[in-house]
Amino acid sequence: MKTKKGLLGYSMIILFAFAFVPTTNAQLLKKLGKRAEKAAERAVERRVEKETTEKTEAALDSILEPGEKRKKNTPQGETSKGDNQSSGNSDTTTGDGPNTSSETGAPKSIKVYSKFDFVPGDKLLFSDDFQNDFIGDFPSKWNTNSSGELVTIDGSKWLKIVPGFDVAYLPDVTNLPEEFTLEFDVITQGLDNKTSSQSYLKVMVGDNNTFEQPKNFAFIEYPFCQFIGLGVIIENNVNGKREIRNETQADIREVVVDKHHIAVAVNKQRFRLWINEQKMVDVPRLLPAGVQMQGIKLGLRGTDINKESIYLGNFKIAEGGVDLRRKLLSDGKISTNGILFNTGSATIQPQSMGIIRQIYQVLQQESSLRLKIVGHTDSDGKDDTNLALSKKRAAAVKNALVSIYNVAPNRLETDGKGASEPVGDNNTVDGKAQNRRVEFIKQ
């Protein structure tokens, strides 16, 4: 440690010089000498700690993300790229998934999702990544009885929400179908051992789309508390009367301090919730039978507004979420925009594994079945770039089936169409989301 020796040597020179100072100032200089020595020691300790931290982080980066530096979730009031408006081949889904050293390879964390059974709906009802809204504003496709603002974190836009017992955030969607799915991402900051045991994020499905309490609803609340492991709260009301109020046994403290993905599936009365790859709630008859659900409400309570921050992003509500296996076997073809990729790349986001798992189950059941996988993009960027990207994405899906589920490669063929076969309006956010899709066709 040359640095340590150098600083200690410098402090000894100072002390040596003090020995030749007149005795009238001896006591003062002796004290100053001791302070200088301690200051040098502290400087050494700080330098050693810094060097150790840098070497440790470099070692972890080489193991976890070869060739990439880890990012920190830091909110910003402005972006450096024109409010993060898309350009080039930035077509694809909202949100960031794990990186991979190979563009067509499955991310290392994707195997964790190999048993993930959430399947998103295939008819898009609502999506919002806030790209058409300005930083500092409240998003135009939402309503609230409180406040909130858009910020940027790692180049993406996020809605910062505030706590309150009756505070609600409502996406502009009504007349929900009997079967639909909801997905979004959450980033938290400032959570620690002092975070309140009353801090929860609520997701409610109800029979109105206003700020009034619905007479018929179901909701879950999951905790942000860090000093004790709390479960997910489940509650419903049928005609104004509570029938279910329960709490699951779970400890998700380590999950909620990091960016995490929320997925909800409603199939008539059945209500299911996943946090990342883990299914947390599955109640067969939580919603009232025969009642039209009109809206979705999100709320936050119990967090310290001066210390803790909650950010929401990458919303998607879609009709469906039914069993794709039967549809593929009966129709011979399915198309889904539920397989998500990182922006401008062919890296599959882990929450897409529910669909890929169902495709594997069909192939496992029908041993003679062969499939063609076709990728599609929206129209952002150059045609040749989008065509190449769509082919890479189809190849990435094949690679996931082969590498994770051991499907024989000769049973899968891949192709890409770029933006040449749109099914939605490429001039709208929702239309672009519909066009970013993967097709599976029986051969």
Side-chain angles (χ1 to χ4, degrees):
M1 299 292 294
K2 292 183 179 180
T3 303
K4 184 174 182 180
K5 291 180 178 179
L7 288 171
L8 288 174
Y10 182 70
S11 65
M12 294 305 296
I13 292 173
I14 294 174
L15 293 173
F16 181 76
F18 289 161
F20 296 93
V21 178
T23 57
T24 56
N25 296 319
Q27 294 297 324
L28 174 63
L29 292 179
K30 184 177 181 181
K31 292 180 180 179
L32 291 174
K34 290 182 178 179
R35 290 179 182 177
E37 184 177 1
K38 290 182 179 179
E41 291 176 352
R42 287 195 297 269
V44 171
E45 290 172 356
R46 287 194 296 269
R47 180 66 63 84
V48 171
E49 181 179 359
K50 180 180 178 182
E51 292 179 356
T52 303
T53 300
E54 290 175 350
K55 291 179 180 179
T56 301
E57 288 183 348
L60 286 173
D61 288 338
S62 67
I63 295 171
L64 298 174
E65 306 285 351
E68 297 288 340
K69 292 184 178 180
R70 290 175 293 167
K71 296 181 179 180
K72 295 182 179 179
N73 296 325
T74 304
Q76 301 172 351
E78 299 178 355
T79 62
S80 59
K81 297 182 180 180
D83 281 345
N84 197 35
Q85 295 297 323
S86 300
S87 62
N89 64 342
S90 61
D91 128 282
T92 84
T93 68
T94 57
D96 294 325
N99 294 323
T100 177
S101 57
S102 172
E103 193 166 46
T104 58
K108 295 176 182 179
S109 64
I110 207 167
K111 288 190 177 182
V112 177
Y113 284 74
S114 62
K115 295 183 180 180
F116 183 54
D117 58 354
F118 171 77
V119 175
D122 53 5
K123 182 180 179 182
L124 192 65
L125 302 175
F126 175 91
S127 68
D128 201 1
D129 59 5
F130 312 126
Q131 289 307 306
N132 293 327
D133 295 298
F134 291 101
I135 297 301
D137 286 352
F138 189 84
S140 58
K141 295 168 70 173
W142 290 73
N143 194 14
T144 185
N145 57 358
S146 180
S147 183
E149 65 173 337
L150 293 176
V151 302
T152 57
I153 301 176
D154 290 342
S156 298
K157 294 181 181 179
W158 295 80
L159 172 59
K160 182 180 180 180
I161 61 175
V162 298
F165 186 77
D166 293 320
V167 172
Y169 295 87
L170 284 60
D172 289 343
V173 59
T174 57
N175 298 318
L176 294 167
E178 286 187 328
E179 298 184 303
F180 68 91
T181 59
L182 162 69
E183 296 179 81
F184 61 95
D185 293 321
V186 181
I187 289 177
T188 63
Q189 289 184 329
L191 302 184
D192 57 26
N193 288 335
K194 294 183 180 180
T195 298
S196 171
S197 60
Q198 298 301 309
S199 58
Y200 285 85
L201 182 68
K202 176 190 287 187
V203 181
M204 174 187 283
V205 177
D207 63 6
N208 67 33
N209 195 36
T210 70
F211 299 117
E212 295 182 1
Q213 177 85 339
K215 290 185 178 180
N216 296 278
F217 66 78
F219 74 71
I220 63 91
E221 288 184 314
Y222 74 91
F224 295 127
C225 177
Q226 292 295 298
F227 66 82
I228 186 174
L230 299 173
V232 177
I233 295 173
I234 306 164
E235 184 174 318
N236 76 347
N237 260 36
V238 178
N239 293 323
K241 181 181 179 180
R242 179 194 293 172
E243 290 191 350
I244 294 176
R245 170 78 180 189
N246 197 13
E247 181 177 335
T248 65
Q249 297 298 313
D251 186 347
I252 57 174
R253 284 176 287 181
E254 292 186 2
V255 174
V256 299
V257 294
D258 292 325
K259 177 181 175 182
H260 52 280
H261 185 74
I262 301 298
V264 172
V266 172
N267 301 99
K268 298 182 179 179
Q269 291 181 268
R270 187 180 185 185
F271 190 106
R272 289 175 290 169
L273 165 77
W274 292 259
I275 301 180
N276 288 345
E277 78 283 359
Q278 185 177 359
K279 185 188 291 183
M280 307 297 300
V281 172
D282 190 348
V283 182
R285 284 178 285 279
L286 189 64
L287 286 164
V291 179
Q292 171 75 56
M293 294 295 105
Q294 291 290 343
I296 293 169
K297 302 179 184 182
L298 304 178
L300 176 67
R301 65 179 173 93
T303 57
D304 184 344
I305 195 171
N306 296 314
K307 180 175 72 72
E308 298 149 357
S309 299
I310 307 299
Y311 306 91
L312 310 179
N314 305 321
F315 283 86
K316 177 183 174 184
I317 303 170
E319 183 176 359
V322 297
D323 194 334
L324 296 177
R325 295 166 293 189
R326 292 184 176 87
K327 188 174 182 180
L328 178 57
L329 291 174
S330 62
D331 298 349
K333 176 181 177 179
I334 58 171
S335 177
T336 176
N337 54 22
I339 298 180
L340 311 180
F341 302 86
N342 284 357
T343 301
S345 82
T347 300
I348 299 172
Q349 295 188 9
Q351 60 264 32
S352 309
M353 291 304 294
I355 294 176
I356 296 176
R357 181 172 181 260
Q358 285 203 356
I359 299 301
Y360 152 70
Q361 290 172 333
V362 174
L363 290 164
Q364 185 184 42
Q365 178 179 324
E366 303 290 329
S367 58
S368 62
L369 180 66
R370 296 170 58 89
L371 291 178
K372 184 175 184 179
I373 306 170
V374 183
H376 297 265
T377 71
D378 64 29
S379 61
D380 285 355
K382 298 179 180 179
D383 289 344
D384 56 348
T385 301
N386 285 330
L387 180 61
L389 182 60
S390 67
K391 292 178 182 290
K392 289 179 180 179
R393 289 178 172 176
V397 174
K398 174 181 177 178
N399 185 55
L401 286 164
V402 172
S403 62
I404 296 174
Y405 296 108
N406 298 317
V407 175
N410 61 4
R411 299 179 65 188
L412 304 170
E413 179 185 346
T414 65
D415 196 8
K417 300 292 185 180
S420 63
E421 298 181 3
V423 294
D425 185 356
N426 274 309
N427 293 315
T428 67
V429 174
D430 291 352
K432 289 178 181 180
Q434 293 177 43
N435 292 332
R436 298 191 292 264
R437 66 194 192 279
V438 177
E439 293 179 322
F440 297 89
I441 305 168
K442 286 174 64 175
Q443 298 296 290

